[in-house]
Coordinates of all heavy atoms in Angstrom, one line a residue:
S796 N 94.3 115.6 112.6 CA 93.7 115.4 111.3 C 94.1 116.5 110.3 O 94.4 116.2 109.2 CB 92.1 115.4 111.4 OG 91.6 115.3 110.1
T797 N 94.2 117.7 110.8 CA 94.6 118.8 110.0 C 96.0 118.7 109.6 O 96.4 118.9 108.4 CB 94.4 120.1 110.8 OG1 93.0 120.3 111.1 CG2 94.8 121.3 109.9
E798 N 96.9 118.2 110.5 CA 98.3 118.1 110.2 C 98.5 117.0 109.1 O 99.3 117.1 108.2 CB 99.1 117.7 111.4 CG 99.2 118.9 112.4 CD 99.9 118.5 113.7 OE1 100.2 117.3 113.9 OE2 100.2 119.4 114.5
V799 N 97.7 115.9 109.3 CA 97.8 114.8 108.3 C 97.4 115.2 106.9 O 98.1 114.9 105.9 CB 97.0 113.6 108.8 CG1 96.9 112.5 107.7 CG2 97.6 112.9 110.0
E800 N 96.4 116.0 106.9 CA 95.9 116.5 105.6 C 96.9 117.4 104.9 O 97.1 117.3 103.7 CB 94.5 117.2 105.8 CG 93.9 117.6 104.5 CD 92.5 118.3 104.8 OE1 92.1 118.4 105.9 OE2 91.9 118.8 103.8
Q801 N 97.5 118.2 105.7 CA 98.5 119.1 105.2 C 99.7 118.4 104.6 O 100.2 118.7 103.5 CB 99.0 120.1 106.3 CG 97.9 121.1 106.6 CD 98.4 122.0 107.8 OE1 99.4 121.8 108.4 NE2 97.6 123.1 108.0
V802 N 100.2 117.4 105.3 CA 101.3 116.6 104.8 C 101.0 115.9 103.5 O 101.8 115.8 102.6 CB 101.8 115.6 105.9 CG1 102.8 114.6 105.3 CG2 102.4 116.3 107.1
L803 N 99.8 115.3 103.4 CA 99.3 114.6 102.3 C 99.2 115.5 101.0 O 99.5 115.0 99.9 CB 98.0 113.9 102.5 CG 98.1 112.7 103.5 CD1 96.6 112.2 103.7 CD2 98.9 111.5 102.9
Q804 N 98.9 116.7 101.3 CA 98.7 117.6 100.1 C 100.1 118.2 99.7 O 100.2 118.9 98.7 CB 97.7 118.7 100.5 CG 96.3 118.2 100.7 CD 95.4 119.3 101.1 OE1 95.8 120.5 101.4 NE2 94.1 119.0 101.2
S805 N 101.1 118.0 100.5 CA 102.4 118.7 100.2 C 103.2 117.8 99.1 O 103.1 116.6 99.1 CB 103.3 118.8 101.5 OG 104.6 119.2 101.2
E806 N 103.9 118.5 98.3 CA 104.7 117.8 97.3 C 106.2 117.6 97.8 O 107.0 117.0 97.0 CB 104.8 118.7 96.0 CG 103.4 118.9 95.3 CD 102.9 117.6 94.8 OE1 103.7 116.7 94.4 OE2 101.6 117.5 94.7
D807 N 106.3 118.0 99.0 CA 107.7 117.8 99.6 C 107.8 116.4 100.2 O 107.3 116.1 101.3 CB 107.9 118.9 100.7 CG 109.3 118.8 101.2 OD1 110.1 117.9 100.9 OD2 109.6 119.7 102.0
H808 N 108.4 115.5 99.4 CA 108.5 114.1 99.8 C 109.3 113.9 101.1 O 109.0 113.1 101.9 CB 109.1 113.2 98.7 CG 108.3 113.3 97.4 ND1 107.0 112.9 97.3 CD2 108.7 113.8 96.2 CE1 106.6 113.1 96.1 NE2 107.6 113.7 95.3
L809 N 110.3 114.7 101.2 CA 111.2 114.6 102.4 C 110.4 115.0 103.7 O 110.6 114.3 104.7 CB 112.4 115.5 102.2 CG 113.4 115.5 103.4 CD1 114.0 114.1 103.6 CD2 114.5 116.5 103.1
H810 N 109.6 116.0 103.6 CA 108.8 116.4 104.7 C 107.8 115.3 105.2 O 107.6 115.1 106.4 CB 108.0 117.7 104.4 CG 107.1 118.2 105.5 ND1 107.7 118.7 106.6 CD2 105.8 118.3 105.6 CE1 106.7 119.1 107.4 NE2 105.5 118.9 106.8
L811 N 107.2 114.6 104.2 CA 106.3 113.5 104.6 C 107.0 112.4 105.3 O 106.5 111.9 106.3 CB 105.7 113.0 103.3 CG 104.6 111.9 103.5 CD1 103.5 112.0 102.4 CD2 105.2 110.5 103.5
L812 N 108.3 112.1 104.8 CA 109.0 111.1 105.5 C 109.4 111.5 106.9 O 109.4 110.6 107.8 CB 110.2 110.7 104.7 CG 110.0 110.1 103.3 CD1 111.3 109.9 102.5 CD2 109.3 108.7 103.5
Q813 N 109.7 112.7 107.1 CA 110.1 113.2 108.4 C 108.9 113.2 109.4 O 109.1 112.9 110.6 CB 110.7 114.6 108.3 CG 112.0 114.7 107.6 CD 112.5 116.1 107.3 OE1 111.7 117.0 107.5 NE2 113.8 116.2 107.0
R814 N 107.7 113.5 108.9 CA 106.5 113.6 109.8 C 105.8 112.3 110.0 O 104.9 112.1 110.8 CB 105.5 114.6 109.3 CG 106.1 116.0 109.3 CD 106.4 116.6 110.7 NE 105.2 116.4 111.6 CZ 104.2 117.3 111.7 NH1 104.3 118.4 110.9 NH2 103.2 117.1 112.5
F815 N 106.1 111.3 109.2 CA 105.3 110.1 109.1 C 105.2 109.4 110.5 O 104.2 109.0 111.0 CB 105.9 109.1 108.1 CG 105.3 107.8 108.1 CD1 104.0 107.6 107.5 CD2 105.8 106.7 108.7 CE1 103.4 106.3 107.5 CE2 105.2 105.4 108.8 CZ 104.0 105.3 108.1
T816 N 106.4 109.3 111.1 CA 106.4 108.5 112.4 C 105.5 109.2 113.5 O 104.7 108.5 114.2 CB 107.8 108.5 112.9 OG1 108.6 107.8 112.0 CG2 107.9 107.7 114.2
S817 N 105.6 110.5 113.6 CA 104.8 111.2 114.6 C 103.3 111.2 114.3 O 102.4 111.1 115.2 CB 105.3 112.6 114.8 OG 105.2 113.4 113.6
L818 N 103.0 111.4 113.0 CA 101.6 111.5 112.6 C 100.9 110.1 112.6 O 99.7 110.0 112.8 CB 101.5 112.1 111.2 CG 101.9 113.6 111.1 CD1 101.8 114.1 109.7 CD2 101.0 114.5 112.1
N819 N 101.7 109.0 112.3 CA 101.1 107.7 112.2 C 100.9 107.0 113.6 O 100.3 106.0 113.7 CB 101.9 106.8 111.3 CG 101.2 105.6 110.9 OD1 100.0 105.7 110.5 ND2 101.8 104.5 110.9
A820 N 101.5 107.6 114.7 CA 101.4 107.0 116.0 C 100.0 107.2 116.5 O 99.2 108.1 116.1 CB 102.4 107.7 116.9
A821 N 99.6 106.3 117.4 CA 98.2 106.4 118.0 C 98.0 107.7 118.7 O 98.9 108.1 119.5 CB 98.0 105.2 118.9
P822 N 96.9 108.3 118.6 CA 96.7 109.6 119.3 C 96.5 109.4 120.8 O 96.1 108.3 121.2 CB 95.4 110.1 118.6 CG 94.7 108.9 118.1 CD 95.8 107.9 117.7
P823 N 96.8 110.4 121.6 CA 96.7 110.2 123.1 C 95.3 110.3 123.5 O 94.8 111.4 124.0 CB 97.6 111.4 123.5 CG 97.4 112.4 122.4 CD 97.4 111.7 121.2
T824 N 94.5 109.3 123.4 CA 93.1 109.3 123.7 C 92.8 108.1 124.7 O 93.6 107.2 124.9 CB 92.2 109.1 122.5 OG1 92.6 107.9 121.8 CG2 92.4 110.3 121.5
K825 N 91.6 108.2 125.2 CA 91.1 107.2 126.2 C 90.2 106.2 125.5 O 89.4 106.6 124.6 CB 90.4 107.9 127.3 CG 89.8 107.1 128.4 CD 89.2 108.0 129.5 CE 88.6 107.2 130.6 NZ 87.9 108.1 131.6
D826 N 90.1 105.0 126.0 CA 89.2 104.0 125.5 C 87.8 104.2 126.2 O 87.6 103.9 127.4 CB 89.7 102.6 125.8 CG 88.8 101.5 125.2 OD1 87.8 101.9 124.5 OD2 89.0 100.3 125.5
W827 N 86.9 104.7 125.4 CA 85.6 105.1 126.0 C 84.5 104.0 125.8 O 83.4 104.2 126.1 CB 85.1 106.3 125.2 CG 85.9 107.6 125.6 CD1 86.9 108.0 124.9 CD2 85.7 108.4 126.7 NE1 87.5 109.2 125.4 CE2 86.7 109.4 126.6 CE3 84.8 108.4 127.8 CZ2 86.8 110.4 127.5 CZ3 85.0 109.4 128.7 CH2 86.0 110.4 128.6
T828 N 84.9 102.9 125.3 CA 83.9 101.8 125.1 C 83.2 101.3 126.3 O 82.1 100.9 126.3 CB 84.6 100.6 124.4 OG1 85.7 100.1 125.2 CG2 85.1 101.0 123.0
Q829 N 83.9 101.3 127.5 CA 83.3 100.9 128.7 C 82.7 102.0 129.6 O 82.2 101.7 130.7 CB 84.4 100.1 129.5 CG 85.0 99.0 128.8 CD 84.0 97.9 128.5 OE1 83.1 97.6 129.2 NE2 84.2 97.3 127.3
V830 N 82.9 103.2 129.1 CA 82.3 104.3 129.8 C 80.9 104.6 129.5 O 80.5 104.7 128.3 CB 83.1 105.6 129.6 CG1 82.5 106.8 130.3 CG2 84.6 105.4 130.0
T831 N 80.0 104.5 130.5 CA 78.6 104.8 130.2 C 78.0 105.7 131.3 O 78.6 105.7 132.5 CB 77.7 103.5 130.2 OG1 77.9 102.8 131.5 CG2 78.2 102.6 129.1
V832 N 77.0 106.4 131.0 CA 76.3 107.2 132.0 C 74.8 106.7 132.1 O 74.1 106.8 131.1 CB 76.3 108.7 131.6 CG1 75.4 109.5 132.6 CG2 77.7 109.2 131.6
R833 N 74.5 106.1 133.2 CA 73.1 105.6 133.4 C 72.3 106.5 134.1 O 72.6 106.9 135.3 CB 73.2 104.2 134.1 CG 74.0 103.2 133.3 CD 74.0 101.9 134.1 NE 74.7 100.9 133.4 CZ 75.0 99.6 133.9 NH1 74.6 99.3 135.1 NH2 75.6 98.8 133.1

């Protein structure tokens, strides 16, 4: 989130285009919807 915010605030258009692919990819997280603790 911090990296995305920094890119959005930058006036360097070329830098945004270079980081777009890596920042827009799905984050390495787990699907927690089925995880419960009873």
